[in-house]
Amino acid sequence: MIRVNGELINPNLLEEAFTRIKSEAELRTQVSCCERDEEFSKAAEEEVIDSILIAQEAEKNHRDLDEQEIARRLEELIKLYREHGASWEMLEAERDNLRDEVMANLRMERFMGEHIPEVAPPNEEELADYYESVKKQYRDLPEARCLHLIKMIDGHEDQKELLEEMVALRKRLLEGEDFSTLAKAETEKSSKEVDLGWIPLDRPTNPFETILFSLQEGEISPVLSYEHALHLVKVTERKGGVTPALEEIADELRNRYVVEKRQAALRALASKLRSEAVIEHVDFENPDES
């Protein structure tokens, strides 16, 4: 666990931050990012520590709050929960926690107003520059639909002979034989299914996808050795790989620009607070570290 100036961080906060950061990265890239879990975990830890430091500073600087404002905000929050189906009994039991939440939000609002400047939306030139810096993240995922012929290496004693057989099949295809008909006759897939459907570019360094997404529509691949088999594929259709024009995502970019500028200001402030903070990684299973 992590302790910040004596305050233990709730592990749920770290898990929630990790899940959100990873989901946002996968949404931007449209690729599963499990191999980056360590990176996302570190980013979540940094983000939560920063938020705790800022909340602690807000509480230290704004201990005195207007009781009437607290009461008004609390009633608004209770009303909101009621509209979403919460019972009076549950709300009464949680009243102290809800009051703490209201007070924390009020302190944070005051603190943010004092220390984090308002950010104006980008002008046209700034928006264009920002678009250029992030447009790759908005590019949709390329996909290819293909036909497939496979022969299993383990089922053939002479691998050289198998390769020669596959090369001969490819030659027949290049000379005009119908891929689907030949593949159904020759494939060693038990289902005899030759249409692989739409395949997204998930793993650019995967040998099969590397070849597949190097092909144009109608093109037949070289013989490919992959996962104990030899393959031939023909791309029948391609789609995706398109970046939206600036005009299509301008509103989203303006909002993101403002949010990122304010987040940068928050990180700068948190960095200053870190220089005086006591941040510890503690293991309560080991008495020497608690």
Side-chain angles (χ1 to χ4, degrees), residues 82-236:
R82 283 289 294 161
E83 289 174 354
H84 287 80
S87 68
W88 283 115
E89 292 79 8
M90 186 276 285
L91 291 171
E92 191 58 39
E94 292 293 320
R95 179 173 284 270
D96 288 343
N97 290 332
L98 294 174
R99 177 182 168 85
D100 289 342
E101 180 182 337
V102 165
M103 293 173 66
N105 289 338
L106 277 170
R107 290 190 179 103
M108 187 61 70
E109 286 177 16
R110 287 190 180 184
F111 184 77
M112 294 281 285
E114 292 175 357
H115 295 279
I116 305 301
E118 290 296 324
V119 178
N123 59 36
E124 293 306 310
E125 182 178 351
E126 289 170 334
L127 184 62
D129 289 341
Y130 186 63
Y131 171 74
E132 289 298 322
S133 70
V134 300
K135 67 180 182 180
K136 287 183 180 179
Q137 299 173 11
Y138 290 87
R139 184 172 182 261
D140 65 359
L141 197 64
E143 294 183 72
R145 186 170 187 174
C146 66
L147 301 174
H148 179 229
L149 191 164
I150 183 173
K151 289 190 179 291
M152 309 306 298
I153 292 174
D154 291 343
H156 297 262
E157 293 184 4
D158 191 330
Q159 295 178 3
K160 291 182 180 179
E161 185 177 283
L162 174 62
L163 176 59
E164 290 173 357
E165 181 182 345
M166 288 290 283
V167 170
L169 291 173
R170 180 172 186 267
K171 183 173 184 293
R172 290 168 59 184
L173 293 169
L174 292 175
E175 290 174 349
E177 285 198 42
D178 180 70
F179 194 109
S180 181
T181 302
L182 183 62
K184 286 178 179 178
E186 294 288 344
T187 189
E188 293 179 356
K189 186 183 292 187
S190 58
S191 66
K192 296 297 181 179
E193 180 60 53
V194 300
D195 188 344
L196 296 183
W198 288 102
I199 298 175
L201 178 57
D202 283 332
R203 301 166 295 170
T205 58
N206 174 279
F208 188 88
E209 292 184 29
T210 298
I211 291 293
L212 181 60
F213 286 92
S214 299
L215 302 174
Q216 301 300 313
E217 285 189 13
E219 191 173 0
I220 296 169
S221 73
V223 178
L224 168 65
S225 176
Y226 176 62
E227 291 189 343
H228 310 293
L230 297 184
H231 309 256
L232 285 168
V233 294
K234 177 181 179 179
V235 173
T236 57

Side-chain angles (χ1 to χ4, degrees), residues 32-46:
S32 178
C33 300
C34 292
E35 71 280 359
R36 297 175 60 191
D37 280 358
E38 184 175 348
E39 172 192 341
F40 298 142
S41 180
K42 181 66 175 176
E45 180 179 306
E46 296 295 311

